[in-house]
């Protein structure tokens, strides 16, 4: 049986833990860039749309 590692998402194989960490880093960086530049931010787009209607 494969070695299972306990991560914040439960018990997973090591490959999945590495993939999750890469995705988490990518999402955190994308979120930081969106907040910095105001681009790609769904919350801001939604607030502008609700104000115009």
């Amino acid at each position: 049986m494969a070695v299972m590692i306990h991560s914040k998402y439960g018990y997973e194989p090591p490959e999945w833990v590495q993939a999750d960490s890469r995705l988490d880093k990518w999402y955190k960086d994308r979120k930081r860039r969106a907040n910095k530049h105001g681009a790609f931010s769904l919350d801001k787009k939604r607030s502008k749309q609700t104000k115009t209607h």
Side-chain angles (χ1 to χ4, degrees), residues 3-51:
V3 177
M4 300 297 274
I5 298 173
H6 182 67
S7 68
K8 65 180 180 180
Y9 301 111
Y11 286 94
E12 301 176 322
E15 297 85 13
W16 289 21
V17 173
Q18 290 176 353
D20 288 340
S21 69
R22 283 194 298 267
L23 285 171
D24 288 340
K25 287 178 185 177
W26 174 83
Y27 181 72
K28 184 178 178 182
D29 183 53
R30 182 172 175 107
K31 191 174 178 183
R32 180 187 60 82
R33 288 175 184 259
N35 287 336
K36 185 177 179 183
H37 298 293
F40 306 111
S41 179
L42 297 176
D43 294 332
K44 289 184 181 180
K45 287 182 182 178
R46 285 185 187 147
S47 65
K48 286 181 183 178
Q49 288 177 351
T50 57
K51 288 179 184 177

